[in-house]
Amino acid sequence: MSHIRLPAGSSGPMEFDVFYEPDKRNHGLPHTPYKSCMVPRPIGWISTRSRSGKVNLAPYSQFNNLGYEPGYLMFSGGGQFPDGGRKDSVINAEESGEFVYNMAPYALREAVHLTSQITDPEVDEMKAAGLTPAPARLVKAPLVAECPISIECVYYTTLILPGHDWSSTHHVVVGRVVGVHIKDEFIGPDGKIDILKIRPLARLGYTDYTSVESVFSLDLREDRRDYLTWGLSGGR
């Protein structure tokens, strides 16, 4: 709940702090600030194929890398609207044993937004968004041909995080990385991925997004440079 305090040892102007307990929903603000406190969040544009062969494509901002050598990544799906059941991506990944992460660039922001709003499992989101499915090498789920990077995964496990009700229960799907696709045009002269050319999308809070438009590097300690470079790069 919002409250007012005076700076320690000062009789000057008051400053405002916000402290709230999420379970009590007592932040006193027009919208909950929770997701805005952890930004930017990369978007995992997850493609799967159902048992019947239907393609599903959905973006997840509760998504990230979990490790390397071998690589693991995760996406977390809340309750499906309106019944609170599992998201189609979760069901398909669990039943088929595979899924693909596609990097969402700024150029495809409208397609990302469109696929986030389709909940009918009978609708092919790729087709609805005017995107092109491309065959993967090792899994049956398709890649998004227009994406600069796609990563093939085999299903590893699901962690269920209980919510206050079924609609807020989250299914955290973890996959083991088995294949990585990078388009040549996004590899720079230095052999590194040209992130600024891609401009990956990321989620902020509320209905806001951002994209990567600047990059900077920091020097590493000389005595640990090789080791730290190996870890920061994600292995060999």
Side-chain angles (χ1 to χ4, degrees):
M1 178 177 293
S2 299
H3 64 278
I4 303 171
R5 70 175 175 86
L6 290 173
S10 172
S11 59
M14 292 182 293
E15 60 181 356
F16 293 81
D17 281 343
V18 172
F19 169 79
Y20 75 101
E21 298 173 71
D23 287 348
K24 296 181 180 179
R25 300 176 181 174
N26 59 349
H27 48 72
L29 300 170
H31 306 284
T32 178
Y34 177 68
K35 284 190 174 182
S36 286
C37 296
M38 289 164 283
V39 295
R41 300 187 308 280
I43 293 175
W45 213 4
I46 305 299
S47 52
T48 56
R49 191 180 292 277
S50 70
R51 277 181 173 174
S52 63
K54 288 187 170 57
V55 171
N56 182 268
L57 178 66
Y60 291 85
S61 68
Q62 292 167 149
F63 158 87
N64 221 315
N65 167 66
L66 289 177
Y68 55 93
E69 292 200 339
Y72 289 89
L73 57 79
M74 56 74 67
F75 68 92
S76 178
Q80 178 77 291
F81 178 83
D83 62 0
R86 290 179 300 159
K87 291 276 179 68
D88 296 329
S89 304
V90 174
I91 294 172
N92 293 346
E94 291 178 343
E95 292 184 348
S96 71
E98 56 191 37
F99 63 90
V100 174
Y101 152 64
N102 304 277
M103 181 178 282
Y106 180 78
L108 295 178
R109 61 194 181 281
E110 296 295 343
V112 171
H113 186 53
L114 174 62
T115 59
S116 73
Q117 300 175 78
I118 299 173
T119 59
D120 186 344
E122 298 302 312
V123 174
D124 182 329
E125 288 88 353
M126 280 203 202
K127 185 180 295 184
L131 300 169
T132 309
R137 295 281 189 93
L138 303 173
V139 303
K140 293 179 181 178
L143 319 178
V144 177
E146 290 80 2
C147 286
I149 294 174
S150 294
I151 296 180
E152 301 180 30
C153 299
V154 293
Y155 173 79
Y156 178 70
T157 192
T158 300
L159 173 65
I160 299 176
L161 304 177
H164 293 301
D165 54 39
W166 280 109
S167 66
S168 60
T169 293
H170 277 75
H171 294 78
V172 182
V173 176
V174 179
R176 187 184 187 280
V177 174
V178 294
V180 178
H181 302 256
I182 307 169
K183 289 186 176 179
D184 286 344
E185 64 190 279
F186 297 106
I187 301 291
D190 59 358
K192 297 180 180 179
I193 295 173
D194 190 340
I195 292 298
L196 295 182
K197 188 173 182 179
I198 295 174
R199 286 189 67 182
L201 280 182
R203 280 284 284 120
L204 302 175
Y206 318 115
T207 59
D208 300 331
Y209 290 77
T210 189
S211 64
V212 178
E213 297 185 67
S214 66
V215 173
F216 62 89
S217 299
L218 297 174
D219 288 336
L220 300 172
R221 284 173 42 182
E222 182 67 34
D223 61 331
R224 302 193 69 205
R225 181 170 295 164
D226 290 344
Y227 173 75
L228 291 174
T229 299
W230 170 79
L232 293 172
S233 298
R236 292 179 287 274

